[in-house]
Amino acid sequence: VNALTKDPKGIGYGGIAWATTVKHAGVKANDTTRAIHPTVEAVSKGEYPISRELYFFLRGEPSVEVKTFINWALSPEGQKVAESADYIPLSAEVAKSSMLK
């Protein structure tokens, strides 16, 4: 993202949290749809087509400590921390359904 700020013709892809000094480009699904810009609302609603979620990948059964951490990250408190770092929080429903038992 930083390199793009130095290149007036540059095009790139980076996380929405780091794109504070660049111009956002709208993306169209095809030539008949309107361009969607990368806003928190558009990404949260699944309207912006170039976005991804962050995942935890585990090898084997997670320990109690790992489950505690993941469930905290999915909790309202953890989602507020993610949001304060300019990540887009999960909906309460998705976060709750993703909790480990």
Side-chain angles (χ1 to χ4, degrees):
V1 172
N2 289 332
L4 290 176
T5 64
K6 296 174 179 81
D7 184 350
K9 296 180 183 179
I11 296 175
Y13 173 80
I16 196 170
W18 297 285
T20 58
T21 59
V22 295
K23 179 182 176 184
H24 295 142
V27 176
K28 296 173 81 171
N30 59 51
D31 63 349
T32 62
T33 59
R34 68 181 178 88
I36 304 294
H37 288 268
T39 64
V40 171
E41 182 180 3
V43 173
S44 295
K45 289 181 174 181
E47 296 172 348
Y48 186 69
I50 307 174
S51 66
R52 61 176 171 75
E53 294 179 355
L54 298 176
Y55 295 94
F56 290 112
F57 290 94
L58 308 171
R59 184 173 58 180
E61 188 65 29
S63 67
V64 171
E65 293 83 7
V66 170
K67 285 182 184 181
T68 299
F69 171 73
I70 290 173
N71 287 340
W72 172 83
L74 294 167
S75 74
E77 180 185 0
Q79 291 297 291
K80 284 180 186 173
V81 171
E83 189 172 19
S84 74
D86 294 325
Y87 286 95
I88 298 172
L90 296 170
S91 70
E93 299 80 28
V94 169
K96 187 174 181 178
S97 70
S98 300
M99 294 270 188
L100 300 177
K101 296 177 177 150

